[in-house]
Amino acid sequence: MPIQEDHAQEKMDKPVLVSIVMPVYNEEQYIEACIHSLLKQDYSRLSMEWIFVDGCSKDRTKLILDSFKQRFPDLIKIHDNPNKTVPYAMNIGIKAATGKYIIRLDAHSEYAFDYISKCVYYLEVTDADNVGGIAKTKSRGFTGNAIALMLSSKFGVGNSQFRTNGRSGYVDTVPFGAFRRETFIKYGLYDERLTRNQDNEMNYRIRRNGGKIYMAEDIQFAYYCRDRISGIVDMAIKNGKWNVITSKLCPGSMGVRHFVPFFFLISLIIMPILTLLFQPFGWLFTSEIILYFLLAMFFAIKDTTEVKYTPMLLILFPLFHISYGFGSFLGVLKRNGIYVNR
């Protein structure tokens, strides 16, 4: 059923309760579906404002946003982000927001019809400073679907509860996040030095200062991941690199699990060398490889109901882990002034 435009609706003097802030950059493939999912929300549009912060997109993103703004001029606001990265976009949006609650969303996603109302509900009934939910990773095509399965696997991404269907409760971090306005007054805005991991750093800062993060399993959205192997490799390398950079800029904000792929890669390099020097290390190295393969096989079978994806997962698991570890290696070099890149 098509969404009806209601030009008769006017906000009048009704205060904005929810400000949606969404950083966007070259999102023409996803932004329309994302906005349509917002238009289907059961939370009143009269109580919301949607703030899109565009990082100088080079595709049709801005044109699409403008077309929606023409239809919903009292709902949609568009701001430019010449610095392009997410922390700058979020800070621009937060400063422009007028709502009691500020909810960060991502354009690569589609949101359950009650996403916003559930975020508001849990902000009101818990003492959490930030509330989030469960991400169902989706993609398009055979390779994309296999990548989505890998990113939803505990063997693929570790104990990332919002990706692996965790249970409701207080956690270390959540994706995106829904905040009370005073949270940013109390704990500060996003760290603009971080191209990535800004959510981890923000949530760490909240927890470090006595705040709480709550994940509710009935807050749900679909996140569209990369659908090409080259895309997921690029993401893994950049994430791995920025984990190291973030740990230097913001000590304590990254957990041990973020560096497991780095240690795995180092073991693949060092163990063969040690074997040449002392043969018993060969047994340890062989045991590691066999254990990794058995775990990869177990989760490749366990995490999919379609056998056709199993061989692909057996390729994606090590490719993702090694790429992630290599990114962390680049981060170590950058941290020590050996490697320079943006």
Side-chain angles (χ1 to χ4, degrees), residues 25-29 56-63:
Y25 177 70
N26 290 348
E27 298 289 356
E28 67 177 5
Q29 293 184 60
C56 304
S57 293
K58 298 177 182 178
D59 62 3
R60 295 179 56 253
T61 298
K62 196 75 177 290
L63 292 175

Side-chain angles (χ1 to χ4, degrees), residues 180-309:
R180 298 181 181 84
R181 167 176 289 279
E182 54 265 28
T183 295
F184 298 106
I185 298 173
K186 186 175 181 181
Y187 302 111
L189 297 173
Y190 282 83
D191 191 328
E192 294 176 347
R193 299 173 298 172
L194 303 178
T195 299
R196 294 179 181 239
N197 294 325
Q198 56 278 153
D199 290 334
N200 282 319
E201 189 281 328
M202 171 61 75
N203 288 322
Y204 170 72
R205 197 183 334 143
I206 290 172
R207 290 185 289 107
R208 184 187 64 194
N209 289 285
K212 295 181 180 180
I213 317 295
Y214 189 83
M215 187 185 74
E217 59 189 281
D218 56 343
I219 297 177
Q220 299 184 1
F221 66 97
Y223 177 80
Y224 285 90
C225 66
R226 273 71 169 176
D227 54 11
R228 296 182 180 180
I229 290 179
S230 59
I232 197 65
V233 167
D234 180 66
M235 184 194 83
I237 291 173
K238 289 178 179 176
N239 283 354
K241 183 178 73 171
W242 272 95
N243 285 350
V244 175
I245 297 170
T246 304
S247 69
K248 178 182 179 181
L249 295 175
C250 312
S253 59
M254 307 305 296
V256 174
R257 70 178 179 85
H258 294 102
F259 300 101
V260 171
F262 174 66
F263 295 126
F264 176 60
L265 176 64
I266 294 300
S267 74
L268 296 181
I269 297 171
I270 291 179
M271 291 298 286
I273 297 173
L274 292 176
T275 299
L276 294 176
L277 299 175
F278 189 53
Q279 193 171 3
F281 276 105
W283 295 104
L284 187 60
F285 181 56
T286 301
S287 299
E288 177 187 22
I289 297 301
I290 292 174
L291 178 61
Y292 182 91
F293 176 77
L294 290 175
L295 287 171
M297 177 64 75
F298 173 78
F299 282 97
I301 296 172
K302 173 182 175 292
D303 292 336
T304 178
T305 57
E306 298 184 66
V307 177
K308 65 181 180 179
Y309 291 116

Side-chain angles (χ1 to χ4, degrees), residues 13 95 108 124 180 248 252 282 297 326:
D13 295 324
K95 291 174 183 176
H108 260 64
E124 291 181 341
R180 298 181 181 84
K248 178 182 179 181
M297 177 64 75
F326 178 68

